[in-house]
Amino acid sequence: MPFLSTPLTLSATGGILGSAWISGSVAALSICAIPAILQTGAPTEGLLRGWHLQFTRGMYYVPTTGAFIALNYLYLAYRHRGEGLEWRGYALGALSNLLLAPFTLLFIGAINSRMIAASSGARKPLGQEAARQLITKWGNLNAVRIFMPLAGAALGLWNLLQ
């Protein structure tokens, strides 16, 4: 590992840990929260309320944290490139964290909209089976998102150790 100033080392460590933390948070939703919601035996309204609660909490911190980590990685890439050091891992780490947003919009956005509308009464209520299927599908697609910030952590660590 080449000599790095303490601020750059701390910045890289923060980015790596932040990416890993987001990955773990996303994983917890698909591995723990969604199965727990589905196993409650709650009526449709209860299922949607449980999903909406965890969705809202994640919505507040995952995109913001992912963007902050991406900016951190871009700063590291800029500084490393300027010093003639390996920088591509940080740039790719930034991209992998930013991919959460377009993936969500493209593949999960319609499910989010449908369940939010159903839970708020803005749309025809969902049946029990339809709600369970949407929540299950959401959990499965969310599980794919685990690997985006996880790749960011791996790429950041790889770059740090270069």
Side-chain angles (χ1 to χ4, degrees), residues 28-92:
L29 295 175
S30 287
I31 296 169
C32 299
I34 295 301
I37 290 167
L38 292 172
Q39 292 176 6
T40 61
T44 305
E45 298 79 25
L47 293 174
L48 291 172
R49 191 172 34 253
W51 171 83
H52 194 261
L53 177 63
Q54 61 83 29
F55 166 79
T56 303
R57 288 182 178 170
M59 181 182 68
Y60 286 121
Y61 70 83
V62 171
T64 306
T65 306
F68 179 75
I69 291 166
L71 287 173
N72 180 53
Y73 277 148
L74 289 174
Y75 166 76
L76 288 165
Y78 172 77
R79 288 288 307 270
H80 278 67
R81 187 168 188 228
E83 294 178 20
L85 299 171
E86 179 57 55
W87 58 273
R88 293 171 293 185
Y90 293 133
L92 290 172

Side-chain angles (χ1 to χ4, degrees), residues 139-152:
N140 292 338
L141 288 169
N142 185 65
V144 173
R145 297 191 309 172
I146 295 167
F147 299 102
M148 294 168 204
L150 186 59

